[in-house]
Amino acid sequence: MHIVLDDTAMAAAGQGNILASRLIHRAHAEPGWFLYAPTCALVEADRARPGTAEHLAALPGITVLDLDLPAALALAAEETWAAAHSQYSAQPTPDRPDGAIVATIIPKRWDGRPVRVLDLNA
């Protein structure tokens, strides 16, 4: 299971969201669970809730995704860097042929976008 945290999910994890906490635990403890934090979304989450970036980056079950050239080119066409980097990170790759699911607190943000969404509101 490959899951990309968007900026809202990262901020929610820092505020004790139980579903975000479960994802973090699974990514750390269970084989086959992978959790990703796109750099641009991490920055935006830290702006919303200072300390979030440092905290999430230190967790062993989370892989921080760098902003490489293909990602930067994809961001240029979008309105916000956080959502664009999350969407780009969820696309299929050789390591993730089915892509990844975007975990979010604001699922409507993803309406009409080519990603699968996991709503962390429950």
Side-chain angles (χ1 to χ4, degrees), residues 8 10 22 26 28-29 36 41 43 53 69 77 79 91 95 97 103:
T8 68
M10 292 181 207
R22 286 180 185 163
R26 283 192 164 182
H28 175 66
Y36 304 99
V43 168
L69 180 58
E79 189 173 314
Q91 300 308 305
D95 294 341

Side-chain angles (χ1 to χ4, degrees), residues 5 8-10 12 17-20 23 103-105 107 118-122:
L5 297 172
T8 68
M10 292 181 207
N17 178 286
I18 191 71
L19 295 177
L23 288 176
T104 186
I105 294 297
L118 175 61
D119 184 350
L120 296 182
N121 295 299

Side-chain angles (χ1 to χ4, degrees), residues 30-56:
E30 295 183 30
W33 280 80
F34 303 94
L35 204 53
Y36 304 99
T39 304
C40 293
L42 194 59
V43 168
E44 203 57 39
D46 199 70
R47 287 180 179 165
R49 189 169 192 283
T52 299
E54 187 175 355
H55 174 71
L56 287 176

Side-chain angles (χ1 to χ4, degrees), residues 2-17:
H2 297 274
I3 299 173
V4 172
L5 297 172
D6 76 358
D7 56 308
T8 68
M10 292 181 207
Q15 294 173 323
N17 178 286

